[in-house]
Amino acid sequence: MKKTSTALIVSLMASTASTAWAAAEPPLPLSPNWGRAMPSGPDTRVKITEEYAKQVGRDAYFWAWPMVNMYNRRLHFMQVKEMVLRGPLMEAPANRLAMLTDYVDPDERSVACPNQDVVYGIGALALDVSPVVVQVPDFGDRFWVYQVVDLRTDSFVQLGKMYGATPGFYLLVGPNWNGEVPKGITKVFRASTNTGLAAPRIAQNDTPEDKRAIQSVLSGIMMYPVAEYDGRTKTKDWANLPRAPAPPSGAQETPWVIPDKFVDELPAVLADAAPLPGEEARYAQVLAVVAAAKNNPAIKQAMTEGAKEADEKLVKPLFQFRNYGQQLPHNWSTISNEAAFGTDYFTRTAVAKSNILVNAPNETKYFYQDLDANGGRLNSANRYAVTFDKDQVPPVNGFWSLSIYNEHHFFIKNPINRFSVGTKNKDLKFAADGSLTIYVQAEAPTDPVQRTNWLPAPNGDFSLFIRAYWPKVEITEGSWTPPAVRRAEGTTIGVRQ
């Protein structure tokens, strides 16, 4: 066994072990024979071929894509100096969060598949800089959930109405933190990485009254470094954030993973995310080629070419919902390991590419649709109907919604400012038989009942997306699935784009 590879692998294993035992007092030491038990790793002294480097780069780009995505989001927030409303979205320095005071603006392009069911907050975690305190105010009967994910986009907290979480102060710490927990902290949540994102989601109805009522609880949602914790509730008037010019944006999501930068960023990313059990050899292989690339431009270029190839042939197709997930009746799809992907690299990357930052399945269940009942691509040239039979709307303890996105998985402004329908809409019309039909089309229906239940379609191809917040067992166990999206016969109203 070569000394260089032994040191690399044992170092990685030690990092993993320290994470696993960080909560123990005192932490258990590694066995002195641990290194000898490991298989030999790559010999970093040998010459390797460019084709091999390309293959390693191609493979690593695919499974590390979500982590690089999160890493670059953290780098962005590390540059933010003050809380501001920058264009359609709020920003806060790392280890703090900022809240909106209403639904997200349809012009938002930072995170694909936003929703207009909840009022969002967002904040980046840099737990190697400091642990952070998260405040939970008293939400009363209102649905709420705080999503907090690590570098892998896996959740590591349980804060929400479905958990019976109480108002108070909660501490988020990194994998190697061994400090003293301040008095008054309700619970400590330990992340497996130092990088992450926090995103509170607070339910809001589509009425002026509820939009006013929610403001009193929003002000108590805060996140800040532990050094600022004094046991007293802090508040912030989120409606009065300073405004800053909107960043440049296009039709698609802000690009967070750039193939040309991948090789340079990868070592820092992998250093933050200790290998999961069984990933040690995968890490050692990649890092050995990265080490070779440092002194050999041809090897680095080959790795970069592999990354570009993976981006084009492997990652980009996963933006389409129809290309992944558990296949359900009527061409719907879903996943069941959201926010706990483990070594399911395919699903983790697919979700990060198409709709990053999903809740755990007991918090929110997601159903995706690109196609009609006959397998045709959903397109604004046609009119569609989605009919929930009597008592067959999504069974939830919280609430549900049906959202619509354009070909880039974003909202496009429409005449009635509606991008989703569901529990929040108090004026939806049910039929005499108890069923509920949502009419999905570009032009407003002439029938007044249909117009009340209208979900405006953006121009061109689009996708539908059901969210079931705090789903009941019928959803989590799979006995309930969404109804067909049926195209009305003879209703082509334009040229397919």
Side-chain angles (χ1 to χ4, degrees), residues 186-419:
T186 303
K187 190 172 182 178
V188 177
F189 294 104
R190 185 178 295 274
S192 64
T193 66
N194 284 307
T195 297
L197 280 174
R201 290 164 163 87
I202 317 303
Q204 175 181 266
N205 288 331
D206 237 1
T207 64
E209 295 79 14
D210 199 51
K211 290 187 177 187
R212 288 192 297 270
I214 196 176
Q215 303 306 316
S216 61
V217 294
L218 294 180
S219 63
I221 302 173
M222 297 282 286
M223 184 174 83
Y224 44 84
V226 68
E228 297 178 18
Y229 171 72
D230 58 9
R232 292 180 238 176
T233 300
K234 305 179 190 305
T235 60
K236 181 78 172 179
D237 181 2
W238 299 114
N240 288 319
L241 286 179
R243 292 185 176 271
S249 65
Q252 302 182 45
E253 184 181 62
T254 302
W256 296 102
V257 186
I258 309 299
D260 282 327
K261 299 180 179 180
F262 175 73
V263 177
D264 291 329
E265 293 172 342
L266 192 57
V269 171
L270 297 186
D272 191 3
L276 300 174
E279 286 189 326
E280 295 85 6
R282 180 183 290 270
Y283 271 49
Q285 178 197 45
V286 172
L287 292 173
V289 179
V290 169
K294 287 183 178 179
N295 301 312
N296 189 328
I299 293 297
K300 181 178 180 179
Q301 182 59 34
M303 286 193 77
T304 301
E305 289 302 318
K308 291 179 178 178
E309 185 176 298
D311 189 66
E312 191 65 32
K313 296 183 178 181
L314 296 173
V315 178
K316 284 185 178 179
L318 295 179
F319 185 77
Q320 307 298 327
F321 294 128
R322 60 189 180 278
N323 287 338
Y324 75 91
Q326 301 163 351
Q327 302 304 293
L328 303 177
H330 311 305
N331 298 311
W332 288 90
S333 63
T334 191
I335 57 172
S336 296
N337 60 349
E338 53 263 47
F341 298 107
T343 58
D344 184 354
Y345 306 113
F346 182 81
T347 304
R348 185 172 71 192
T349 296
V351 171
K353 178 63 179 178
S354 61
N355 64 307
I356 199 170
L357 301 180
V358 296
N359 291 124
N362 65 308
E363 297 170 353
T364 313
K365 186 70 174 176
Y366 304 86
F367 298 92
Y368 311 121
Q369 183 63 277
D370 289 335
L371 309 172
D372 64 26
N374 295 321
R377 185 69 176 92
L378 297 177
N379 187 276
S380 61
N382 307 305
R383 295 197 291 266
Y384 305 91
V386 183
T387 299
F388 298 91
D389 291 339
K390 182 181 180 181
D391 299 325
Q392 285 301 304
V393 296
V396 292
N397 295 303
F399 63 103
W400 67 272
S401 68
L402 173 67
S403 297
I404 190 166
Y405 300 103
N406 74 345
E407 61 180 323
H408 302 301
H409 293 181
F410 285 110
F411 296 139
I412 296 296
K413 290 180 178 178
N414 60 69
I416 63 171
N417 197 35
R418 176 182 280 184
F419 310 95

Side-chain angles (χ1 to χ4, degrees), residues 19 127 149-152 156 173-175 191-196 272-274:
T19 299
L127 298 176
V149 300
D150 61 18
L151 189 70
R152 289 186 168 91
F156 67 93
V173 303
S192 64
T193 66
N194 284 307
T195 297
D272 191 3

Side-chain angles (χ1 to χ4, degrees), residues 160-173:
K161 191 174 179 65
M162 68 290 304
Y163 299 109
T166 57
F169 305 97
Y170 296 82
L171 188 65
L172 311 181
V173 303

Side-chain angles (χ1 to χ4, degrees), residues 58-86:
R58 188 178 194 267
D59 178 65
Y61 185 86
F62 184 82
W63 60 261
W65 195 94
M67 296 192 289
V68 175
N69 187 302
M70 294 289 290
Y71 170 82
N72 282 319
R73 290 178 191 267
R74 167 182 163 155
L75 290 185
H76 169 78
F77 283 104
M78 292 291 286
Q79 303 303 312
V80 176
K81 303 303 181 185
E82 62 175 341
M83 295 180 182
V84 296
L85 187 64
R86 187 175 300 281

